[in-house]
Amino acid sequence: MQKSVITTHILDTQRGRPAVGVGVRLFKSATGSVADPQWQSMASAATNDDGRIIDWLGTRERESGLYKLEFATGAYYAAQGLSTLYPQVDILFEIDTPTEHYHVPLLLSANGFSTYRGS
């Protein structure tokens, strides 16, 4: 399995388990500007049984720029019969060294979230 330059992992901290089946979309800014990003869709996938997406870009060339991960958290909680304060979580991040791997994890609960640069 090819590991893409951008990967993600979602941990449902409320349940203490990986968040399985969460829809995630990846976008790249056409302008590189946060004020007017003009998002272009690059890929979409759902998290696997370990809460990860590691193979969605395949061998696509690595590019610097502004990116966005869009997590469908509302649908994830609705499937469990729960509600959430955050029906969608968007994380913007910038790739400035395209030779490096960018892992963007999401720590998620129904009423909060956090992220960091993983390895």
Side-chain angles (χ1 to χ4, degrees), residues 43-66:
S44 63
T47 55
N48 65 17
D49 288 343
D50 195 31
R52 297 178 185 275
I53 300 174
I54 61 170
D55 59 350
W56 58 4
L57 290 177
T59 58
R60 188 179 293 187
E61 187 173 325
R62 300 165 183 245
E63 296 179 11
S64 59
L66 182 64

Side-chain angles (χ1 to χ4, degrees), residues 9 21 45 47 57-58 62 64 71 74 84 86-87 89 91 93-94 102 105 108-109 111 116 119:
H9 177 226
T47 55
L57 290 177
R62 300 165 183 245
S64 59
F71 298 88
T84 177
Y86 303 101
V89 173
I91 299 174
F93 61 100
E94 192 160 19
Y102 286 78
L108 180 66
S109 73
N111 294 303
Y116 58 95
S119 58

Side-chain angles (χ1 to χ4, degrees), residues 68-113:
K68 174 174 74 167
L69 286 172
E70 184 181 276
F71 298 88
T73 52
Y76 169 72
Y77 281 109
Q80 299 175 51
L82 301 171
S83 61
T84 177
L85 181 62
Y86 303 101
Q88 179 174 299
V89 173
D90 292 351
I91 299 174
L92 278 62
F93 61 100
E94 192 160 19
I95 291 180
D96 56 4
T97 310
T99 56
E100 294 181 4
H101 174 242
Y102 286 78
H103 182 64
V104 185
L106 177 64
L107 302 176
L108 180 66
S109 73
N111 294 303
F113 66 89

Side-chain angles (χ1 to χ4, degrees), residues 1-25:
M1 181 181 311
Q2 176 72 32
K3 185 176 183 180
S4 85
V5 64
I6 300 169
T7 58
T8 191
H9 177 226
I10 307 172
L11 178 62
D12 183 333
T13 59
Q14 201 164 310
R15 297 173 59 215
R17 293 183 230 167
V20 177
V22 178
V24 184
R25 297 190 314 165

